[in-house]
Each structure stands twice: as C-alpha cells, then as structure tokens.
Amino acid sequence: MNFETEYNKEVLDLWKKHNPPNPLIPKQIGQYNINAEVLFVGMNPSFSESKMDKYFASENCENQKLKNQKSSQLFALEGPNFDRRVELIREYEGAANNHTYNNYFGLFDPFIIKCGYSSKCWEHLDLFIMRGTTQNKENKLIYDKNKLNDFGKDQVNLFFKSIKKTNHKLVIVFNSEASKIIYKELKNIKISDELGSLDDSKDIESYIDADNKRYYFSSMLTSGRLDIFSRQRLINEIRSFSKK
C-alpha cells in the first residue's frame, strides 16, 4: 500500500470512528512525493464553495471529470456515489497542491526559492483533517475546554505517524495554532495541556526531531499574518540551514 492510499484510508477510518458533526468529506490527498525535501504544514483544509465552483467552471480546470462540479455536492459526506466522489476529491487535491489554488499553494514556490531551495521541491499536509474556513468553528471539534479531545489527539498522532514514513528534511509549519501543538508534541509536553503561552526563554523557532527532520514554526504565510520582518528572519534562518 503506497503512502497516499494508506493515509487516505486512515483518515476515513478515523472519521468513521469519531463521527464528528461536520457535513464535509475530510482531508484526502492525491499523488504525494515522500522524497520532497520540504513539507509545508497548515492547520486544516479550507472549504470555499465560491472559489471551488469558480475553478471547476473555469478553463483552468483541465480535469474533465471535475469540470462544472458543484463543491457542495462533491464534498458532501452524505449522498450518492460516495466512493466516486472521494476519488474525484483526491484528484482535485492533487491539482490544488500543484498550484491550482494559487492564493495559498502558489505562495510556497516563491518563498522556498528565496530560502535557497529549488521550485516544486515541497509537499503539503494539514495537521487536522476536517474541512472549513473558520478556525474558531473547526476548533470546537478538536478542543474541550482548551484541551485537545480524543478526536484532536488522534489526528495529531496520524500526522506524526504519516510524516515518519517520509524523507522530508525540512518541515515548515505556517499556522500559529498548529505550531503550538506540534512544538508541544515534539518536546514531549502533554498535548492535553492548555495551549497557553510557551516559555519565552526557550528558542522555539526551530527543532530537530529523532529522524533528523528540522521543524520551523511560524504564523500563516497568507492573509498578511506573517509580517515582512518575521518573514525575512525566517527566510534567513532557513537559508543558513540549507547552506550547511
């Protein structure tokens, strides 16, 4: 079983186990390069009906099976042709990761090139698998009183289990909430602890795990949340690592 097949199956099994109150088919991945040097990590897959429907109706949608699809029907957890729709979603996810969704994935190439790496040397995974565009709403599915619940913990475990099977050398987390969770897990701080402020006296900009993967933690690259000064410091630090 290849990486993509195993990951997608585990996502659906996890979803079935917890049966969360979210009406959308969870994260699935298309073709995945486990040997890509860089992994970009987000919080969870977004879901924007208007943007997806616009793409499906546009000339940019080269996959005829996705042409003129309606996202509300395609991603619905309930409804006919579930297996076929899941396969189409995997094809869409593959297209999105290849810069179809330019206002997000399209930013990764220019960033990593400035860091001294080649274009398209990266892959992308989300820490959590539920779809949505409002993080506060999605957080209610994974937190109970500011602590990760079992549904949240299982997703974090799936993330680490999955990337352990890859050969990524650099892991860049572009979300402040995901950064906190991943950092706590790497440092063996109980992820059930409240996600309050971390110890400011410690250097938490980067971390090397037991598999020699180097992690960098940041806020979002999109939406202007990463100011130009923090962005440049991050680029400089990654460049210094790439030259070693």
Side-chain angles (χ1 to χ4, degrees), residues 32-62:
Y32 189 96
N33 181 11
I34 63 171
N35 295 312
E37 285 187 275
V38 179
L39 174 65
F40 289 111
V41 180
M43 183 69 172
N44 66 283
S46 65
F47 183 76
S48 171
E49 284 190 46
S50 59
K51 289 180 180 178
M52 289 180 182
D53 289 349
K54 183 178 180 180
Y55 166 70
F56 292 145
S58 74
E59 295 180 355
N60 293 328
C61 182
E62 298 177 353

PDB file of all heavy atoms in Angstrom, residues 32-62:
ATOM      1  N   TYR A  32       1.491  11.927  -3.898  1.00  0.00           N
ATOM      2  CA  TYR A  32       2.300  12.551  -2.843  1.00  0.00           C
ATOM      3  C   TYR A  32       3.748  12.089  -2.976  1.00  0.00           C
ATOM      4  O   TYR A  32       4.027  10.897  -3.067  1.00  0.00           O
ATOM      5  CB  TYR A  32       1.749  12.169  -1.475  1.00  0.00           C
ATOM      6  CG  TYR A  32       2.365  12.927  -0.319  1.00  0.00           C
ATOM      7  CD1 TYR A  32       1.741  14.056   0.191  1.00  0.00           C
ATOM      8  CD2 TYR A  32       3.579  12.521   0.254  1.00  0.00           C
ATOM      9  CE1 TYR A  32       2.301  14.766   1.245  1.00  0.00           C
ATOM     10  CE2 TYR A  32       4.134  13.226   1.305  1.00  0.00           C
ATOM     11  CZ  TYR A  32       3.494  14.341   1.792  1.00  0.00           C
ATOM     12  OH  TYR A  32       4.055  15.043   2.836  1.00  0.00           O
ATOM     13  N   ASN A  33       4.673  13.041  -2.967  1.00  0.00           N
ATOM     14  CA  ASN A  33       6.098  12.744  -3.089  1.00  0.00           C
ATOM     15  C   ASN A  33       6.733  12.663  -1.705  1.00  0.00           C
ATOM     16  O   ASN A  33       7.026  13.694  -1.100  1.00  0.00           O
ATOM     17  CB  ASN A  33       6.788  13.814  -3.939  1.00  0.00           C
ATOM     18  CG  ASN A  33       8.275  13.548  -4.116  1.00  0.00           C
ATOM     19  OD1 ASN A  33       8.772  12.465  -3.788  1.00  0.00           O
ATOM     20  ND2 ASN A  33       8.990  14.535  -4.641  1.00  0.00           N
ATOM     21  N   ILE A  34       6.955  11.459  -1.214  1.00  0.00           N
ATOM     22  CA  ILE A  34       7.525  11.293   0.133  1.00  0.00           C
ATOM     23  C   ILE A  34       8.988  11.700   0.171  1.00  0.00           C
ATOM     24  O   ILE A  34       9.564  11.848   1.260  1.00  0.00           O
ATOM     25  CB  ILE A  34       7.373   9.847   0.641  1.00  0.00           C
ATOM     26  CG1 ILE A  34       8.161   8.869  -0.245  1.00  0.00           C
ATOM     27  CG2 ILE A  34       5.903   9.451   0.738  1.00  0.00           C
ATOM     28  CD1 ILE A  34       8.221   7.461   0.329  1.00  0.00           C
ATOM     29  N   ASN A  35       9.606  11.914  -0.987  1.00  0.00           N
ATOM     30  CA  ASN A  35      11.024  12.289  -1.035  1.00  0.00           C
ATOM     31  C   ASN A  35      11.244  13.782  -1.238  1.00  0.00           C
ATOM     32  O   ASN A  35      12.392  14.213  -1.380  1.00  0.00           O
ATOM     33  CB  ASN A  35      11.724  11.511  -2.161  1.00  0.00           C
ATOM     34  CG  ASN A  35      11.750  10.021  -1.894  1.00  0.00           C
ATOM     35  OD1 ASN A  35      12.103   9.577  -0.805  1.00  0.00           O
ATOM     36  ND2 ASN A  35      11.362   9.233  -2.890  1.00  0.00           N
ATOM     37  N   ALA A  36      10.171  14.557  -1.260  1.00  0.00           N
ATOM     38  CA  ALA A  36      10.328  16.008  -1.379  1.00  0.00           C
ATOM     39  C   ALA A  36      11.130  16.530  -0.189  1.00  0.00           C
ATOM     40  O   ALA A  36      10.937  16.106   0.948  1.00  0.00           O
ATOM     41  CB  ALA A  36       8.961  16.680  -1.435  1.00  0.00           C
ATOM     42  N   GLU A  37      12.030  17.463  -0.446  1.00  0.00           N
ATOM     43  CA  GLU A  37      12.893  17.971   0.626  1.00  0.00           C
ATOM     44  C   GLU A  37      12.104  18.697   1.712  1.00  0.00           C
ATOM     45  O   GLU A  37      12.418  18.606   2.890  1.00  0.00           O
ATOM     46  CB  GLU A  37      13.939  18.927   0.042  1.00  0.00           C
ATOM     47  CG  GLU A  37      15.070  18.279  -0.705  1.00  0.00           C
ATOM     48  CD  GLU A  37      16.126  19.302  -1.093  1.00  0.00           C
ATOM     49  OE1 GLU A  37      15.949  19.945  -2.146  1.00  0.00           O
ATOM     50  OE2 GLU A  37      17.109  19.459  -0.350  1.00  0.00           O
ATOM     51  N   VAL A  38      11.068  19.420   1.287  1.00  0.00           N
ATOM     52  CA  VAL A  38      10.374  20.337   2.194  1.00  0.00           C
ATOM     53  C   VAL A  38       8.914  19.928   2.347  1.00  0.00           C
ATOM     54  O   VAL A  38       8.250  19.559   1.372  1.00  0.00           O
ATOM     55  CB  VAL A  38      10.453  21.784   1.664  1.00  0.00           C
ATOM     56  CG1 VAL A  38       9.717  22.751   2.598  1.00  0.00           C
ATOM     57  CG2 VAL A  38      11.903  22.209   1.484  1.00  0.00           C
ATOM     58  N   LEU A  39       8.424  20.014   3.578  1.00  0.00           N
ATOM     59  CA  LEU A  39       6.997  19.819   3.852  1.00  0.00           C
ATOM     60  C   LEU A  39       6.445  21.091   4.464  1.00  0.00           C
ATOM     61  O   LEU A  39       6.941  21.565   5.491  1.00  0.00           O
ATOM     62  CB  LEU A  39       6.782  18.657   4.827  1.00  0.00           C
ATOM     63  CG  LEU A  39       5.335  18.461   5.298  1.00  0.00           C
ATOM     64  CD1 LEU A  39       4.435  18.071   4.130  1.00  0.00           C
ATOM     65  CD2 LEU A  39       5.253  17.428   6.415  1.00  0.00           C
ATOM     66  N   PHE A  40       5.419  21.667   3.829  1.00  0.00           N
ATOM     67  CA  PHE A  40       4.683  22.784   4.409  1.00  0.00           C
ATOM     68  C   PHE A  40       3.470  22.218   5.144  1.00  0.00           C
ATOM     69  O   PHE A  40       2.790  21.317   4.650  1.00  0.00           O
ATOM     70  CB  PHE A  40       4.211  23.761   3.331  1.00  0.00           C
ATOM     71  CG  PHE A  40       5.317  24.556   2.706  1.00  0.00           C
ATOM     72  CD1 PHE A  40       5.692  24.343   1.386  1.00  0.00           C
ATOM     73  CD2 PHE A  40       5.987  25.522   3.434  1.00  0.00           C
ATOM     74  CE1 PHE A  40       6.708  25.067   0.800  1.00  0.00           C
ATOM     75  CE2 PHE A  40       7.014  26.268   2.864  1.00  0.00           C
ATOM     76  CZ  PHE A  40       7.380  26.040   1.543  1.00  0.00           C
ATOM     77  N   VAL A  41       3.205  22.755   6.327  1.00  0.00           N
ATOM     78  CA  VAL A  41       2.120  22.248   7.163  1.00  0.00           C
ATOM     79  C   VAL A  41       1.132  23.364   7.467  1.00  0.00           C
ATOM     80  O   VAL A  41       1.524  24.463   7.891  1.00  0.00           O
ATOM     81  CB  VAL A  41       2.654  21.662   8.489  1.00  0.00           C
ATOM     82  CG1 VAL A  41       1.503  21.145   9.358  1.00  0.00           C
ATOM     83  CG2 VAL A  41       3.655  20.542   8.208  1.00  0.00           C
ATOM     84  N   GLY A  42      -0.160  23.084   7.257  1.00  0.00           N
ATOM     85  CA  GLY A  42      -1.214  24.012   7.625  1.00  0.00           C
ATOM     86  C   GLY A  42      -2.047  23.438   8.763  1.00  0.00           C
ATOM     87  O   GLY A  42      -1.762  22.350   9.263  1.00  0.00           O
ATOM     88  N   MET A  43      -3.078  24.154   9.151  1.00  0.00           N
ATOM     89  CA  MET A  43      -3.921  23.724  10.266  1.00  0.00           C
ATOM     90  C   MET A  43      -4.925  22.666   9.808  1.00  0.00           C
ATOM     91  O   MET A  43      -4.983  21.567  10.344  1.00  0.00           O
ATOM     92  CB  MET A  43      -4.654  24.928  10.861  1.00  0.00           C
ATOM     93  CG  MET A  43      -5.514  24.597  12.069  1.00  0.00           C
ATOM     94  SD  MET A  43      -4.541  24.150  13.528  1.00  0.00           S
ATOM     95  CE  MET A  43      -5.855  24.089  14.768  1.00  0.00           C
ATOM     96  N   ASN A  44      -5.741  23.007   8.805  1.00  0.00           N
ATOM     97  CA  ASN A  44      -6.745  22.077   8.281  1.00  0.00           C
ATOM     98  C   ASN A  44      -7.154  22.546   6.885  1.00  0.00           C
ATOM     99  O   ASN A  44      -6.974  23.717   6.545  1.00  0.00           O
ATOM    100  CB  ASN A  44      -7.975  21.997   9.196  1.00  0.00           C
ATOM    101  CG  ASN A  44      -8.736  23.295   9.252  1.00  0.00           C
ATOM    102  OD1 ASN A  44      -8.319  24.244   9.927  1.00  0.00           O
ATOM    103  ND2 ASN A  44      -9.856  23.372   8.554  1.00  0.00           N
ATOM    104  N   PRO A  45      -7.677  21.642   6.058  1.00  0.00           N
ATOM    105  CA  PRO A  45      -8.056  22.041   4.690  1.00  0.00           C
ATOM    106  C   PRO A  45      -9.216  23.030   4.704  1.00  0.00           C
ATOM    107  O   PRO A  45     -10.177  22.857   5.446  1.00  0.00           O
ATOM    108  CB  PRO A  45      -8.449  20.724   4.025  1.00  0.00           C
ATOM    109  CG  PRO A  45      -8.783  19.792   5.145  1.00  0.00           C
ATOM    110  CD  PRO A  45      -7.918  20.198   6.288  1.00  0.00           C
ATOM    111  N   SER A  46      -9.090  24.053   3.885  1.00  0.00           N
ATOM    112  CA  SER A  46     -10.159  25.051   3.809  1.00  0.00           C
ATOM    113  C   SER A  46     -11.279  24.547   2.921  1.00  0.00           C
ATOM    114  O   SER A  46     -11.142  23.559   2.200  1.00  0.00           O
ATOM    115  CB  SER A  46      -9.618  26.373   3.257  1.00  0.00           C
ATOM    116  OG  SER A  46      -9.196  26.201   1.923  1.00  0.00           O
ATOM    117  N   PHE A  47     -12.404  25.244   2.984  1.00  0.00           N
ATOM    118  CA  PHE A  47     -13.533  24.901   2.117  1.00  0.00           C
ATOM    119  C   PHE A  47     -14.256  26.174   1.735  1.00  0.00           C
ATOM    120  O   PHE A  47     -14.927  26.800   2.557  1.00  0.00           O
ATOM    121  CB  PHE A  47     -14.492  23.948   2.822  1.00  0.00           C
ATOM    122  CG  PHE A  47     -15.640  23.514   1.950  1.00  0.00           C
ATOM    123  CD1 PHE A  47     -15.448  22.562   0.955  1.00  0.00           C
ATOM    124  CD2 PHE A  47     -16.910  24.062   2.107  1.00  0.00           C
ATOM    125  CE1 PHE A  47     -16.493  22.162   0.132  1.00  0.00           C
ATOM    126  CE2 PHE A  47     -17.960  23.670   1.291  1.00  0.00           C
ATOM    127  CZ  PHE A  47     -17.752  22.720   0.307  1.00  0.00           C
ATOM    128  N   SER A  48     -14.082  26.570   0.484  1.00  0.00           N
ATOM    129  CA  SER A  48     -14.734  27.766  -0.031  1.00  0.00           C
ATOM    130  C   SER A  48     -15.540  27.388  -1.273  1.00  0.00           C
ATOM    131  O   SER A  48     -14.974  27.143  -2.339  1.00  0.00           O
ATOM    132  CB  SER A  48     -13.700  28.845  -0.385  1.00  0.00           C
ATOM    133  OG  SER A  48     -14.321  29.920  -1.063  1.00  0.00           O
ATOM    134  N   GLU A  49     -16.859  27.299  -1.116  1.00  0.00           N
ATOM    135  CA  GLU A  49     -17.714  26.903  -2.240  1.00  0.00           C
ATOM    136  C   GLU A  49     -17.520  27.817  -3.444  1.00  0.00           C
ATOM    137  O   GLU A  49     -17.390  27.350  -4.577  1.00  0.00           O
ATOM    138  CB  GLU A  49     -19.185  26.918  -1.818  1.00  0.00           C
ATOM    139  CG  GLU A  49     -19.606  25.744  -0.963  1.00  0.00           C
ATOM    140  CD  GLU A  49     -21.115  25.705  -0.783  1.00  0.00           C
ATOM    141  OE1 GLU A  49     -21.827  25.878  -1.801  1.00  0.00           O
ATOM    142  OE2 GLU A  49     -21.568  25.503   0.355  1.00  0.00           O
ATOM    143  N   SER A  50     -17.486  29.116  -3.205  1.00  0.00           N
ATOM    144  CA  SER A  50     -17.416  30.062  -4.322  1.00  0.00           C
ATOM    145  C   SER A  50     -16.114  29.908  -5.099  1.00  0.00           C
ATOM    146  O   SER A  50     -16.115  29.905  -6.339  1.00  0.00           O
ATOM    147  CB  SER A  50     -17.559  31.497  -3.808  1.00  0.00           C
ATOM    148  OG  SER A  50     -16.538  31.801  -2.869  1.00  0.00           O
ATOM    149  N   LYS A  51     -15.008  29.766  -4.399  1.00  0.00           N
ATOM    150  CA  LYS A  51     -13.712  29.635  -5.077  1.00  0.00           C
ATOM    151  C   LYS A  51     -13.611  28.312  -5.829  1.00  0.00           C
ATOM    152  O   LYS A  51     -13.116  28.252  -6.954  1.00  0.00           O
ATOM    153  CB  LYS A  51     -12.570  29.761  -4.070  1.00  0.00           C
ATOM    154  CG  LYS A  51     -12.388  31.162  -3.527  1.00  0.00           C
ATOM    155  CD  LYS A  51     -11.239  31.222  -2.535  1.00  0.00           C
ATOM    156  CE  LYS A  51     -11.071  32.632  -1.996  1.00  0.00           C
ATOM    157  NZ  LYS A  51      -9.977  32.716  -0.991  1.00  0.00           N
ATOM    158  N   MET A  52     -14.083  27.246  -5.187  1.00  0.00           N
ATOM    159  CA  MET A  52     -14.016  25.935  -5.842  1.00  0.00           C
ATOM    160  C   MET A  52     -14.926  25.894  -7.069  1.00  0.00           C
ATOM    161  O   MET A  52     -14.525  25.412  -8.131  1.00  0.00           O
ATOM    162  CB  MET A  52     -14.409  24.842  -4.855  1.00  0.00           C
ATOM    163  CG  MET A  52     -13.390  24.594  -3.773  1.00  0.00           C
ATOM    164  SD  MET A  52     -13.939  23.287  -2.645  1.00  0.00           S
ATOM    165  CE  MET A  52     -12.587  23.267  -1.477  1.00  0.00           C
ATOM    166  N   ASP A  53     -16.153  26.376  -6.911  1.00  0.00           N
ATOM    167  CA  ASP A  53     -17.095  26.358  -8.038  1.00  0.00           C
ATOM    168  C   ASP A  53     -16.584  27.207  -9.204  1.00  0.00           C
ATOM    169  O   ASP A  53     -16.757  26.848 -10.368  1.00  0.00           O
ATOM    170  CB  ASP A  53     -18.471  26.850  -7.596  1.00  0.00           C
ATOM    171  CG  ASP A  53     -19.176  25.849  -6.689  1.00  0.00           C
ATOM    172  OD1 ASP A  53     -18.694  24.714  -6.580  1.00  0.00           O
ATOM    173  OD2 ASP A  53     -20.208  26.220  -6.088  1.00  0.00           O
ATOM    174  N   LYS A  54     -15.950  28.313  -8.886  1.00  0.00           N
ATOM    175  CA  LYS A  54     -15.374  29.173  -9.921  1.00  0.00           C
ATOM    176  C   LYS A  54     -14.270  28.431 -10.660  1.00  0.00           C
ATOM    177  O   LYS A  54     -14.160  28.507 -11.889  1.00  0.00           O
ATOM    178  CB  LYS A  54     -14.831  30.456  -9.298  1.00  0.00           C
ATOM    179  CG  LYS A  54     -14.276  31.444 -10.306  1.00  0.00           C
ATOM    180  CD  LYS A  54     -13.805  32.716  -9.621  1.00  0.00           C
ATOM    181  CE  LYS A  54     -13.243  33.702 -10.630  1.00  0.00           C
ATOM    182  NZ  LYS A  54     -12.765  34.953  -9.971  1.00  0.00           N
ATOM    183  N   TYR A  55     -13.435  27.703  -9.906  1.00  0.00           N
ATOM    184  CA  TYR A  55     -12.362  26.925 -10.529  1.00  0.00           C
ATOM    185  C   TYR A  55     -12.933  25.813 -11.397  1.00  0.00           C
ATOM    186  O   TYR A  55     -12.503  25.615 -12.539  1.00  0.00           O
ATOM    187  CB  TYR A  55     -11.445  26.345  -9.465  1.00  0.00           C
ATOM    188  CG  TYR A  55     -10.521  25.275 -10.013  1.00  0.00           C
ATOM    189  CD1 TYR A  55      -9.485  25.607 -10.884  1.00  0.00           C
ATOM    190  CD2 TYR A  55     -10.708  23.936  -9.677  1.00  0.00           C
ATOM    191  CE1 TYR A  55      -8.651  24.625 -11.404  1.00  0.00           C
ATOM    192  CE2 TYR A  55      -9.873  22.962 -10.201  1.00  0.00           C
ATOM    193  CZ  TYR A  55      -8.851  23.303 -11.056  1.00  0.00           C
ATOM    194  OH  TYR A  55      -8.040  22.330 -11.570  1.00  0.00           O
ATOM    195  N   PHE A  56     -13.925  25.082 -10.886  1.00  0.00           N
ATOM    196  CA  PHE A  56     -14.495  23.969 -11.639  1.00  0.00           C
ATOM    197  C   PHE A  56     -15.125  24.435 -12.953  1.00  0.00           C
ATOM    198  O   PHE A  56     -15.178  23.682 -13.932  1.00  0.00           O
ATOM    199  CB  PHE A  56     -15.556  23.232 -10.802  1.00  0.00           C
ATOM    200  CG  PHE A  56     -14.990  22.493  -9.618  1.00  0.00           C
ATOM    201  CD1 PHE A  56     -15.704  22.407  -8.421  1.00  0.00           C
ATOM    202  CD2 PHE A  56     -13.750  21.887  -9.686  1.00  0.00           C
ATOM    203  CE1 PHE A  56     -15.193  21.720  -7.334  1.00  0.00           C
ATOM    204  CE2 PHE A  56     -13.223  21.202  -8.596  1.00  0.00           C
ATOM    205  CZ  PHE A  56     -13.945  21.118  -7.419  1.00  0.00           C
ATOM    206  N   ALA A  57     -15.600  25.668 -12.975  1.00  0.00           N
ATOM    207  CA  ALA A  57     -16.255  26.208 -14.179  1.00  0.00           C
ATOM    208  C   ALA A  57     -15.278  26.918 -15.120  1.00  0.00           C
ATOM    209  O   ALA A  57     -15.662  27.301 -16.222  1.00  0.00           O
ATOM    210  CB  ALA A  57     -17.360  27.177 -13.776  1.00  0.00           C
ATOM    211  N   SER A  58     -14.027  27.070 -14.700  1.00  0.00           N
ATOM    212  CA  SER A  58     -13.066  27.849 -15.474  1.00  0.00           C
ATOM    213  C   SER A  58     -12.268  26.994 -16.448  1.00  0.00           C
ATOM    214  O   SER A  58     -12.271  25.758 -16.382  1.00  0.00           O
ATOM    215  CB  SER A  58     -12.093  28.564 -14.527  1.00  0.00           C
ATOM    216  OG  SER A  58     -11.174  27.627 -13.976  1.00  0.00           O
ATOM    217  N   GLU A  59     -11.552  27.665 -17.334  1.00  0.00           N
ATOM    218  CA  GLU A  59     -10.674  26.979 -18.278  1.00  0.00           C
ATOM    219  C   GLU A  59      -9.473  26.369 -17.576  1.00  0.00           C
ATOM    220  O   GLU A  59      -8.812  25.481 -18.135  1.00  0.00           O
ATOM    221  CB  GLU A  59     -10.202  27.962 -19.356  1.00  0.00           C
ATOM    222  CG  GLU A  59     -11.319  28.484 -20.250  1.00  0.00           C
ATOM    223  CD  GLU A  59     -10.810  29.443 -21.296  1.00  0.00           C
ATOM    224  OE1 GLU A  59      -9.592  29.764 -21.261  1.00  0.00           O
ATOM    225  OE2 GLU A  59     -11.606  29.880 -22.155  1.00  0.00           O
ATOM    226  N   ASN A  60      -9.174  26.838 -16.388  1.00  0.00           N
ATOM    227  CA  ASN A  60      -8.031  26.308 -15.638  1.00  0.00           C
ATOM    228  C   ASN A  60      -8.274  24.890 -15.151  1.00  0.00           C
ATOM    229  O   ASN A  60      -7.332  24.181 -14.803  1.00  0.00           O
ATOM    230  CB  ASN A  60      -7.719  27.208 -14.444  1.00  0.00           C
ATOM    231  CG  ASN A  60      -7.217  28.576 -14.870  1.00  0.00           C
ATOM    232  OD1 ASN A  60      -6.556  28.701 -15.899  1.00  0.00           O
ATOM    233  ND2 ASN A  60      -7.543  29.593 -14.097  1.00  0.00           N
ATOM    234  N   CYS A  61      -9.528  24.493 -15.099  1.00  0.00           N
ATOM    235  CA  CYS A  61      -9.865  23.132 -14.659  1.00  0.00           C
ATOM    236  C   CYS A  61      -9.679  22.186 -15.845  1.00  0.00           C
ATOM    237  O   CYS A  61     -10.566  22.033 -16.678  1.00  0.00           O
ATOM    238  CB  CYS A  61     -11.303  23.075 -14.146  1.00  0.00           C
ATOM    239  SG  CYS A  61     -11.779  21.448 -13.523  1.00  0.00           S
ATOM    240  N   GLU A  62      -8.513  21.581 -15.912  1.00  0.00           N
ATOM    241  CA  GLU A  62      -8.172  20.727 -17.056  1.00  0.00           C
ATOM    242  C   GLU A  62      -8.724  19.315 -16.911  1.00  0.00           C
ATOM    243  O   GLU A  62      -8.827  18.586 -17.899  1.00  0.00           O
ATOM    244  CB  GLU A  62      -6.652  20.682 -17.222  1.00  0.00           C
ATOM    245  CG  GLU A  62      -6.037  22.052 -17.518  1.00  0.00           C
ATOM    246  CD  GLU A  62      -4.533  21.997 -17.603  1.00  0.00           C
ATOM    247  OE1 GLU A  62      -3.959  20.925 -17.300  1.00  0.00           O
ATOM    248  OE2 GLU A  62      -3.930  23.020 -17.980  1.00  0.00           O
TER     249      GLU A  62
END
